[in-house]
């Protein structure tokens, strides 16, 4: 069995990605991505992911300048395991909420060490994009994310309080140089 690796989203992972999407839907994530639509239009979906599309700052799309992001998938052979998204720079919205990096493991593959591997393997890609220090933010009650970020060397910066517009976040800086 080959090792897990980070790759550009590609056609060979279609079936596995769609299975993972059903798992994400079951936990209320990525509802805006429809399995049937993607199943029919997967090449267009891949093209969109691979073209360095801009992060959608919903519901603030009209209030922030777009920032390009790079999407990578963690795969093992033909199985999709998780995704790693790098925003190329920060704007006020990413500073408050999303940070430079978002990483997610599909629900059925969690708790097996893949989260730590994903973040470790993703750091050189952030470095390649010129990000020396990446901001990562997480909900204060997301124990798995906090442990993963700290395991990978993330340094706690602060905890922002919950406001009318934004949920509370723990913010970490991760050395990618
Ligand atoms: C955060 C996430 C990526 C972790 O992935 P994972 O594959 O489950 O993580 P790992 O198996 O590598 O475990 C990483 C650490 O989290 C801990 N952990 C895993 N699941 C946990 C859980 N449900 N509760 C508490 N700790 C947990 C592990 O014990 C490990 O800590 P340790 O090294 O101190 O033992 C995954 O839970 C996920 O995709 N969550 C939803 C999206 C998300 O929150 N992303 C983070 C955005 S910043």
């Amino acid at each position: 069995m080959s090792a897990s690796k980070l790759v550009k989203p590609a056609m060979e992972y279609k079936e596995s990605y769609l299975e993972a999407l059903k798992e994400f839907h079951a936990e209320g994530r990525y509802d805006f991505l429809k399995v049937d639509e993607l199943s029919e239009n997967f090449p267009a979906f891949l093209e969109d992911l691979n073209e360095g599309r801009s992060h959608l700052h919903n519901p603030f799309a009209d209030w922030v300048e777009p920032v390009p992001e790079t999407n990578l998938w963690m795969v093992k052979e033909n199985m999709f395991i998780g995704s790693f998204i790098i925003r190329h720079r920060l704007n006020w919205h990413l500073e408050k909420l999303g940070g430079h990096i978002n990483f997610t493991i599909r629900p059925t593959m969690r708790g097996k060490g893949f989260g730590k591997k994903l973040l470790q393997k993703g750091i050189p890609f952030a470095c390649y994009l010129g990000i020396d220090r990446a901001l990562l933010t997480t909900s204060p009650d997301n124990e798995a994310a906090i442990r993963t970020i700290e395991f990978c060397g993330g340094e706690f910066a602060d905890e922002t309080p919950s406001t009318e517009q934004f949920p509370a976040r723990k913010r970490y800086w991760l050395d990618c140089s």
Side-chain angles (χ1 to χ4, degrees), residues 110-155:
R110 289 183 195 157
K112 301 173 193 280
F114 284 117
K116 292 197 261 193
K117 280 188 190 154
L118 177 58
L119 188 49
Q120 282 176 321
K121 287 177 193 245
I123 289 172
F125 288 90
C127 178
Y128 182 70
L129 290 171
I131 299 166
D132 292 334
R133 234 165 50 114
L135 181 68
L136 285 91
T137 80
T138 181
S139 160
D141 58 12
N142 189 342
E143 195 60 37
I146 291 167
R147 284 187 183 216
T148 306
I149 294 167
E150 289 180 349
F151 174 86
C152 292
E155 278 186 26

mmCIF file of all heavy atoms in Angstrom, residues 110-155:
data_model
loop_
_atom_site.group_PDB
_atom_site.id
_atom_site.type_symbol
_atom_site.label_atom_id
_atom_site.label_comp_id
_atom_site.label_asym_id
_atom_site.label_seq_id
_atom_site.Cartn_x
_atom_site.Cartn_y
_atom_site.Cartn_z
ATOM 1 N N ARG A 110 -11.064 9.977 10.088
ATOM 2 C CA ARG A 110 -10.548 10.770 11.222
ATOM 3 C C ARG A 110 -10.046 9.871 12.353
ATOM 4 O O ARG A 110 -10.439 8.713 12.458
ATOM 5 C CB ARG A 110 -11.646 11.703 11.751
ATOM 6 C CG ARG A 110 -11.917 12.823 10.783
ATOM 7 C CD ARG A 110 -12.950 13.803 11.305
ATOM 8 N NE ARG A 110 -13.400 14.635 10.187
ATOM 9 C CZ ARG A 110 -14.547 15.270 10.140
ATOM 10 N NH1 ARG A 110 -15.377 15.207 11.164
ATOM 11 N NH2 ARG A 110 -14.873 15.982 9.078
ATOM 12 N N GLY A 111 -9.192 10.443 13.183
ATOM 13 C CA GLY A 111 -8.689 9.734 14.354
ATOM 14 C C GLY A 111 -7.675 8.652 14.022
ATOM 15 O O GLY A 111 -7.386 7.785 14.833
ATOM 16 N N LYS A 112 -7.115 8.699 12.802
ATOM 17 C CA LYS A 112 -6.127 7.693 12.386
ATOM 18 C C LYS A 112 -4.762 8.333 12.109
ATOM 19 O O LYS A 112 -3.903 7.713 11.492
ATOM 20 C CB LYS A 112 -6.598 6.990 11.104
ATOM 21 C CG LYS A 112 -7.941 6.268 11.197
ATOM 22 C CD LYS A 112 -8.355 5.767 9.810
ATOM 23 C CE LYS A 112 -9.795 5.331 9.743
ATOM 24 N NZ LYS A 112 -10.024 3.995 10.278
ATOM 25 N N GLY A 113 -4.606 9.594 12.480
ATOM 26 C CA GLY A 113 -3.314 10.265 12.263
ATOM 27 C C GLY A 113 -3.215 11.029 10.951
ATOM 28 O O GLY A 113 -2.205 11.685 10.687
ATOM 29 N N PHE A 114 -4.272 10.994 10.128
ATOM 30 C CA PHE A 114 -4.171 11.664 8.826
ATOM 31 C C PHE A 114 -4.189 13.187 8.944
ATOM 32 O O PHE A 114 -3.593 13.882 8.127
ATOM 33 C CB PHE A 114 -5.294 11.202 7.888
ATOM 34 C CG PHE A 114 -5.060 9.832 7.321
ATOM 35 C CD1 PHE A 114 -5.923 8.790 7.600
ATOM 36 C CD2 PHE A 114 -3.959 9.576 6.509
ATOM 37 C CE1 PHE A 114 -5.709 7.525 7.085
ATOM 38 C CE2 PHE A 114 -3.726 8.309 5.993
ATOM 39 C CZ PHE A 114 -4.605 7.273 6.284
ATOM 40 N N GLY A 115 -4.886 13.708 9.956
ATOM 41 C CA GLY A 115 -4.924 15.163 10.131
ATOM 42 C C GLY A 115 -3.522 15.713 10.342
ATOM 43 O O GLY A 115 -3.117 16.705 9.718
ATOM 44 N N LYS A 116 -2.749 15.047 11.203
ATOM 45 C CA LYS A 116 -1.379 15.497 11.478
ATOM 46 C C LYS A 116 -0.528 15.378 10.212
ATOM 47 O O LYS A 116 0.248 16.273 9.894
ATOM 48 C CB LYS A 116 -0.782 14.665 12.617
ATOM 49 C CG LYS A 116 -1.455 14.939 13.956
ATOM 50 C CD LYS A 116 -0.601 14.445 15.115
ATOM 51 C CE LYS A 116 -1.069 13.119 15.612
ATOM 52 N NZ LYS A 116 -0.492 12.726 16.911
ATOM 53 N N LYS A 117 -0.707 14.263 9.491
ATOM 54 C CA LYS A 117 0.069 14.078 8.250
ATOM 55 C C LYS A 117 -0.288 15.150 7.224
ATOM 56 O O LYS A 117 0.564 15.674 6.528
ATOM 57 C CB LYS A 117 -0.218 12.702 7.642
ATOM 58 C CG LYS A 117 0.540 11.601 8.299
ATOM 59 C CD LYS A 117 0.361 10.305 7.519
ATOM 60 C CE LYS A 117 0.922 9.161 8.335
ATOM 61 N NZ LYS A 117 0.344 7.881 8.045
ATOM 62 N N LEU A 118 -1.584 15.439 7.130
ATOM 63 C CA LEU A 118 -2.039 16.420 6.133
ATOM 64 C C LEU A 118 -1.402 17.785 6.394
ATOM 65 O O LEU A 118 -0.866 18.420 5.480
ATOM 66 C CB LEU A 118 -3.574 16.512 6.182
ATOM 67 C CG LEU A 118 -4.261 17.519 5.275
ATOM 68 C CD1 LEU A 118 -3.925 17.266 3.810
ATOM 69 C CD2 LEU A 118 -5.777 17.468 5.460
ATOM 70 N N LEU A 119 -1.447 18.212 7.645
ATOM 71 C CA LEU A 119 -0.885 19.536 7.949
ATOM 72 C C LEU A 119 0.636 19.530 7.766
ATOM 73 O O LEU A 119 1.192 20.461 7.177
ATOM 74 C CB LEU A 119 -1.276 19.948 9.379
ATOM 75 C CG LEU A 119 -0.935 21.373 9.797
ATOM 76 C CD1 LEU A 119 -1.390 22.406 8.776
ATOM 77 C CD2 LEU A 119 -1.544 21.696 11.164
ATOM 78 N N GLN A 120 1.285 18.473 8.204
ATOM 79 C CA GLN A 120 2.751 18.399 8.030
ATOM 80 C C GLN A 120 3.130 18.425 6.550
ATOM 81 O O GLN A 120 4.036 19.138 6.150
ATOM 82 C CB GLN A 120 3.290 17.105 8.646
ATOM 83 C CG GLN A 120 3.411 17.155 10.148
ATOM 84 C CD GLN A 120 3.862 15.813 10.719
ATOM 85 O OE1 GLN A 120 3.442 14.760 10.261
ATOM 86 N NE2 GLN A 120 4.713 15.861 11.713
ATOM 87 N N LYS A 121 2.412 17.641 5.748
ATOM 88 C CA LYS A 121 2.752 17.562 4.327
ATOM 89 C C LYS A 121 2.376 18.846 3.593
ATOM 90 O O LYS A 121 2.909 19.125 2.518
ATOM 91 C CB LYS A 121 2.039 16.372 3.673
ATOM 92 C CG LYS A 121 2.643 15.029 4.069
ATOM 93 C CD LYS A 121 1.862 13.878 3.444
ATOM 94 C CE LYS A 121 2.248 12.568 4.081
ATOM 95 N NZ LYS A 121 2.894 11.622 3.214
ATOM 96 N N GLY A 122 1.442 19.611 4.141
ATOM 97 C CA GLY A 122 1.001 20.825 3.461
ATOM 98 C C GLY A 122 1.923 22.012 3.677
ATOM 99 O O GLY A 122 1.961 22.929 2.854
ATOM 100 N N ILE A 123 2.696 21.989 4.768
ATOM 101 C CA ILE A 123 3.539 23.149 5.105
ATOM 102 C C ILE A 123 4.495 23.531 3.958
ATOM 103 O O ILE A 123 4.586 24.709 3.600
ATOM 104 C CB ILE A 123 4.302 22.902 6.437
ATOM 105 C CG1 ILE A 123 3.303 22.956 7.600
ATOM 106 C CG2 ILE A 123 5.411 23.924 6.638
ATOM 107 C CD1 ILE A 123 3.883 22.531 8.947
ATOM 108 N N PRO A 124 5.194 22.573 3.322
ATOM 109 C CA PRO A 124 6.092 22.974 2.216
ATOM 110 C C PRO A 124 5.363 23.647 1.050
ATOM 111 O O PRO A 124 5.942 24.485 0.362
ATOM 112 C CB PRO A 124 6.710 21.640 1.763
ATOM 113 C CG PRO A 124 6.567 20.727 2.930
ATOM 114 C CD PRO A 124 5.309 21.147 3.628
ATOM 115 N N PHE A 125 4.095 23.289 0.840
ATOM 116 C CA PHE A 125 3.341 23.930 -0.243
ATOM 117 C C PHE A 125 3.057 25.397 0.101
ATOM 118 O O PHE A 125 3.115 26.267 -0.761
ATOM 119 C CB PHE A 125 2.030 23.178 -0.508
ATOM 120 C CG PHE A 125 2.231 21.845 -1.168
ATOM 121 C CD1 PHE A 125 2.408 20.706 -0.415
ATOM 122 C CD2 PHE A 125 2.252 21.737 -2.556
ATOM 123 C CE1 PHE A 125 2.599 19.466 -1.015
ATOM 124 C CE2 PHE A 125 2.447 20.509 -3.174
ATOM 125 C CZ PHE A 125 2.631 19.374 -2.402
ATOM 126 N N ALA A 126 2.758 25.648 1.381
ATOM 127 C CA ALA A 126 2.547 27.042 1.807
ATOM 128 C C ALA A 126 3.849 27.817 1.641
ATOM 129 O O ALA A 126 3.859 28.958 1.145
ATOM 130 C CB ALA A 126 2.070 27.078 3.257
ATOM 131 N N CYS A 127 4.960 27.180 2.016
ATOM 132 C CA CYS A 127 6.278 27.816 1.870
ATOM 133 C C CYS A 127 6.531 28.128 0.392
ATOM 134 O O CYS A 127 6.988 29.219 0.044
ATOM 135 C CB CYS A 127 7.349 26.880 2.435
ATOM 136 S SG CYS A 127 9.012 27.511 2.273
ATOM 137 N N TYR A 128 6.198 27.176 -0.471
ATOM 138 C CA TYR A 128 6.399 27.347 -1.915
ATOM 139 C C TYR A 128 5.632 28.567 -2.437
ATOM 140 O O TYR A 128 6.065 29.251 -3.360
ATOM 141 C CB TYR A 128 5.944 26.074 -2.640
ATOM 142 C CG TYR A 128 6.154 26.100 -4.123
ATOM 143 C CD1 TYR A 128 7.430 26.052 -4.667
ATOM 144 C CD2 TYR A 128 5.063 26.183 -4.994
ATOM 145 C CE1 TYR A 128 7.622 26.090 -6.036
ATOM 146 C CE2 TYR A 128 5.257 26.214 -6.368
ATOM 147 C CZ TYR A 128 6.530 26.166 -6.877
ATOM 148 O OH TYR A 128 6.713 26.211 -8.239
ATOM 149 N N LEU A 129 4.482 28.831 -1.807
ATOM 150 C CA LEU A 129 3.668 29.978 -2.232
ATOM 151 C C LEU A 129 4.133 31.273 -1.567
ATOM 152 O O LEU A 129 3.478 32.310 -1.674
ATOM 153 C CB LEU A 129 2.195 29.723 -1.895
ATOM 154 C CG LEU A 129 1.530 28.633 -2.736
ATOM 155 C CD1 LEU A 129 0.144 28.307 -2.191
ATOM 156 C CD2 LEU A 129 1.435 29.062 -4.199
ATOM 157 N N GLY A 130 5.255 31.198 -0.834
ATOM 158 C CA GLY A 130 5.831 32.411 -0.258
ATOM 159 C C GLY A 130 5.284 32.763 1.114
ATOM 160 O O GLY A 130 5.505 33.867 1.613
ATOM 161 N N ILE A 131 4.578 31.817 1.730
ATOM 162 C CA ILE A 131 4.020 32.090 3.066
ATOM 163 C C ILE A 131 5.012 31.566 4.114
ATOM 164 O O ILE A 131 5.162 30.359 4.270
ATOM 165 C CB ILE A 131 2.640 31.419 3.219
ATOM 166 C CG1 ILE A 131 1.675 31.971 2.171
ATOM 167 C CG2 ILE A 131 2.101 31.595 4.630
ATOM 168 C CD1 ILE A 131 0.404 31.165 2.006
ATOM 169 N N ASP A 132 5.695 32.486 4.791
ATOM 170 C CA ASP A 132 6.679 32.070 5.809
ATOM 171 C C ASP A 132 5.990 31.682 7.104
ATOM 172 O O ASP A 132 6.444 30.800 7.832
ATOM 173 C CB ASP A 132 7.654 33.222 6.115
ATOM 174 C CG ASP A 132 8.537 33.512 4.919
ATOM 175 O OD1 ASP A 132 8.745 32.592 4.115
ATOM 176 O OD2 ASP A 132 8.989 34.670 4.779
ATOM 177 N N ARG A 133 4.919 32.384 7.394
ATOM 178 C CA ARG A 133 4.189 32.168 8.645
ATOM 179 C C ARG A 133 2.715 32.115 8.295
ATOM 180 O O ARG A 133 2.161 33.064 7.752
ATOM 181 C CB ARG A 133 4.417 33.380 9.561
ATOM 182 C CG ARG A 133 4.941 33.039 10.931
ATOM 183 C CD ARG A 133 5.469 34.285 11.629
ATOM 184 N NE ARG A 133 4.531 35.395 11.608
ATOM 185 C CZ ARG A 133 3.940 35.915 12.685
ATOM 186 N NH1 ARG A 133 4.179 35.421 13.868
ATOM 187 N NH2 ARG A 133 3.120 36.936 12.582
ATOM 188 N N ALA A 134 2.095 30.970 8.581
ATOM 189 C CA ALA A 134 0.688 30.821 8.200
ATOM 190 C C ALA A 134 -0.205 31.005 9.421
ATOM 191 O O ALA A 134 0.093 30.494 10.505
ATOM 192 C CB ALA A 134 0.457 29.448 7.600
ATOM 193 N N LEU A 135 -1.283 31.727 9.223
ATOM 194 C CA LEU A 135 -2.293 31.874 10.277
ATOM 195 C C LEU A 135 -3.313 30.740 10.164
ATOM 196 O O LEU A 135 -3.832 30.476 9.070
ATOM 197 C CB LEU A 135 -3.000 33.220 10.133
ATOM 198 C CG LEU A 135 -4.079 33.524 11.177
ATOM 199 C CD1 LEU A 135 -3.457 33.723 12.565
ATOM 200 C CD2 LEU A 135 -4.891 34.770 10.785
ATOM 201 N N LEU A 136 -3.552 30.062 11.272
ATOM 202 C CA LEU A 136 -4.596 29.032 11.320
ATOM 203 C C LEU A 136 -5.564 29.408 12.424
ATOM 204 O O LEU A 136 -5.139 29.799 13.521
ATOM 205 C CB LEU A 136 -4.010 27.646 11.612
ATOM 206 C CG LEU A 136 -3.290 26.985 10.437
ATOM 207 C CD1 LEU A 136 -1.822 27.337 10.437
ATOM 208 C CD2 LEU A 136 -3.464 25.489 10.477
ATOM 209 N N THR A 137 -6.835 29.304 12.147
ATOM 210 C CA THR A 137 -7.816 29.643 13.177
ATOM 211 C C THR A 137 -8.778 28.470 13.361
ATOM 212 O O THR A 137 -9.062 27.736 12.416
ATOM 213 C CB THR A 137 -8.625 30.907 12.807
ATOM 214 O OG1 THR A 137 -9.657 30.546 11.879
ATOM 215 C CG2 THR A 137 -7.749 31.998 12.224
ATOM 216 N N THR A 138 -9.243 28.330 14.576
ATOM 217 C CA THR A 138 -10.176 27.236 14.840
ATOM 218 C C THR A 138 -11.123 27.603 15.972
ATOM 219 O O THR A 138 -10.815 28.467 16.796
ATOM 220 C CB THR A 138 -9.411 25.942 15.195
ATOM 221 O OG1 THR A 138 -10.346 24.893 15.414
ATOM 222 C CG2 THR A 138 -8.549 26.098 16.424
ATOM 223 N N SER A 139 -12.242 26.927 15.992
ATOM 224 C CA SER A 139 -13.172 27.125 17.094
ATOM 225 C C SER A 139 -12.503 26.669 18.396
ATOM 226 O O SER A 139 -11.821 25.638 18.404
ATOM 227 C CB SER A 139 -14.424 26.294 16.810
ATOM 228 O OG SER A 139 -15.130 26.081 17.993
ATOM 229 N N PRO A 140 -12.671 27.412 19.504
ATOM 230 C CA PRO A 140 -12.015 27.040 20.765
ATOM 231 C C PRO A 140 -12.428 25.656 21.265
ATOM 232 O O PRO A 140 -11.726 25.072 22.082
ATOM 233 C CB PRO A 140 -12.460 28.128 21.745
ATOM 234 C CG PRO A 140 -12.877 29.268 20.896
ATOM 235 C CD PRO A 140 -13.399 28.687 19.616
ATOM 236 N N ASP A 141 -13.555 25.128 20.796
ATOM 237 C CA ASP A 141 -13.950 23.793 21.276
ATOM 238 C C ASP A 141 -13.604 22.680 20.278
ATOM 239 O O ASP A 141 -14.032 21.538 20.445
ATOM 240 C CB ASP A 141 -15.439 23.767 21.654
ATOM 241 C CG ASP A 141 -16.329 24.154 20.489
ATOM 242 O OD1 ASP A 141 -15.816 24.215 19.352
ATOM 243 O OD2 ASP A 141 -17.530 24.395 20.709
ATOM 244 N N ASN A 142 -12.807 22.994 19.261
ATOM 245 C CA ASN A 142 -12.415 21.982 18.275
ATOM 246 C C ASN A 142 -11.092 21.334 18.729
ATOM 247 O O ASN A 142 -10.003 21.669 18.267
ATOM 248 C CB ASN A 142 -12.270 22.622 16.887
ATOM 249 C CG ASN A 142 -12.089 21.598 15.789
ATOM 250 O OD1 ASN A 142 -11.741 20.457 16.059
ATOM 251 N ND2 ASN A 142 -12.309 22.013 14.553
ATOM 252 N N GLU A 143 -11.241 20.399 19.659
ATOM 253 C CA GLU A 143 -10.070 19.773 20.292
ATOM 254 C C GLU A 143 -9.168 19.098 19.263
ATOM 255 O O GLU A 143 -7.936 19.179 19.346
ATOM 256 C CB GLU A 143 -10.556 18.752 21.332
ATOM 257 C CG GLU A 143 -9.512 18.270 22.315
ATOM 258 C CD GLU A 143 -8.903 19.382 23.165
ATOM 259 O OE1 GLU A 143 -9.623 20.326 23.556
ATOM 260 O OE2 GLU A 143 -7.695 19.288 23.422
ATOM 261 N N ALA A 144 -9.763 18.402 18.287
ATOM 262 C CA ALA A 144 -8.950 17.686 17.298
ATOM 263 C C ALA A 144 -8.105 18.666 16.481
ATOM 264 O O ALA A 144 -6.914 18.426 16.242
ATOM 265 C CB ALA A 144 -9.855 16.867 16.381
ATOM 266 N N ALA A 145 -8.701 19.786 16.075
ATOM 267 C CA ALA A 145 -7.948 20.779 15.292
ATOM 268 C C ALA A 145 -6.846 21.405 16.140
ATOM 269 O O ALA A 145 -5.706 21.570 15.691
ATOM 270 C CB ALA A 145 -8.895 21.847 14.756
ATOM 271 N N ILE A 146 -7.169 21.748 17.376
ATOM 272 C CA ILE A 146 -6.179 22.379 18.263
ATOM 273 C C ILE A 146 -4.985 21.447 18.474
ATOM 274 O O ILE A 146 -3.830 21.843 18.351
ATOM 275 C CB ILE A 146 -6.833 22.752 19.619
ATOM 276 C CG1 ILE A 146 -7.821 23.902 19.397
ATOM 277 C CG2 ILE A 146 -5.780 23.114 20.663
ATOM 278 C CD1 ILE A 146 -8.750 24.169 20.573
ATOM 279 N N ARG A 147 -5.280 20.176 18.750
ATOM 280 C CA ARG A 147 -4.183 19.217 18.971
ATOM 281 C C ARG A 147 -3.346 19.037 17.718
ATOM 282 O O ARG A 147 -2.125 18.900 17.780
ATOM 283 C CB ARG A 147 -4.747 17.864 19.384
ATOM 284 C CG ARG A 147 -5.209 17.824 20.809
ATOM 285 C CD ARG A 147 -5.571 16.399 21.127
ATOM 286 N NE ARG A 147 -6.100 16.265 22.451
ATOM 287 C CZ ARG A 147 -5.863 15.206 23.220
ATOM 288 N NH1 ARG A 147 -5.123 14.222 22.776
ATOM 289 N NH2 ARG A 147 -6.387 15.131 24.412
ATOM 290 N N THR A 148 -4.016 19.012 16.573
ATOM 291 C CA THR A 148 -3.295 18.830 15.307
ATOM 292 C C THR A 148 -2.382 20.029 15.046
ATOM 293 O O THR A 148 -1.206 19.865 14.698
ATOM 294 C CB THR A 148 -4.300 18.672 14.137
ATOM 295 O OG1 THR A 148 -5.209 17.616 14.453
ATOM 296 C CG2 THR A 148 -3.595 18.359 12.835
ATOM 297 N N ILE A 149 -2.916 21.228 15.222
ATOM 298 C CA ILE A 149 -2.129 22.446 14.957
ATOM 299 C C ILE A 149 -0.942 22.517 15.929
ATOM 300 O O ILE A 149 0.191 22.799 15.529
ATOM 301 C CB ILE A 149 -3.025 23.702 15.082
ATOM 302 C CG1 ILE A 149 -4.083 23.718 13.975
ATOM 303 C CG2 ILE A 149 -2.185 24.972 15.053
ATOM 304 C CD1 ILE A 149 -5.202 24.731 14.186
ATOM 305 N N GLU A 150 -1.196 22.224 17.209
ATOM 306 C CA GLU A 150 -0.101 22.305 18.197
ATOM 307 C C GLU A 150 0.940 21.220 17.935
ATOM 308 O O GLU A 150 2.137 21.470 18.058
ATOM 309 C CB GLU A 150 -0.672 22.228 19.620
ATOM 310 C CG GLU A 150 -1.431 23.517 19.974
ATOM 311 C CD GLU A 150 -2.028 23.521 21.375
ATOM 312 O OE1 GLU A 150 -2.039 22.447 22.021
ATOM 313 O OE2 GLU A 150 -2.474 24.603 21.822
ATOM 314 N N PHE A 151 0.503 20.032 17.553
ATOM 315 C CA PHE A 151 1.441 18.946 17.232
ATOM 316 C C PHE A 151 2.384 19.379 16.109
ATOM 317 O O PHE A 151 3.577 19.044 16.102
ATOM 318 C CB PHE A 151 0.669 17.688 16.807
ATOM 319 C CG PHE A 151 1.557 16.582 16.320
ATOM 320 C CD1 PHE A 151 2.119 15.672 17.218
ATOM 321 C CD2 PHE A 151 1.844 16.444 14.964
ATOM 322 C CE1 PHE A 151 2.965 14.662 16.756
ATOM 323 C CE2 PHE A 151 2.678 15.432 14.507
ATOM 324 C CZ PHE A 151 3.238 14.537 15.404
ATOM 325 N N CYS A 152 1.846 20.127 15.146
ATOM 326 C CA CYS A 152 2.642 20.533 13.981
ATOM 327 C C CYS A 152 3.455 21.805 14.241
ATOM 328 O O CYS A 152 4.094 22.326 13.325
ATOM 329 C CB CYS A 152 1.744 20.706 12.763
ATOM 330 S SG CYS A 152 1.071 19.131 12.196
ATOM 331 N N GLY A 153 3.405 22.316 15.458
ATOM 332 C CA GLY A 153 4.255 23.453 15.812
ATOM 333 C C GLY A 153 3.552 24.791 15.814
ATOM 334 O O GLY A 153 4.212 25.830 15.951
ATOM 335 N N GLY A 154 2.240 24.798 15.665
ATOM 336 C CA GLY A 154 1.500 26.061 15.687
ATOM 337 C C GLY A 154 1.648 26.754 17.038
ATOM 338 O O GLY A 154 1.546 26.113 18.081
ATOM 339 N N GLU A 155 1.926 28.065 16.992
ATOM 340 C CA GLU A 155 2.088 28.839 18.240
ATOM 341 C C GLU A 155 0.830 29.642 18.505
ATOM 342 O O GLU A 155 0.406 30.433 17.661
ATOM 343 C CB GLU A 155 3.276 29.794 18.117
ATOM 344 C CG GLU A 155 4.580 29.097 18.395
ATOM 345 C CD GLU A 155 5.756 30.066 18.421
ATOM 346 O OE1 GLU A 155 5.551 31.256 18.714
ATOM 347 O OE2 GLU A 155 6.856 29.603 18.105
#
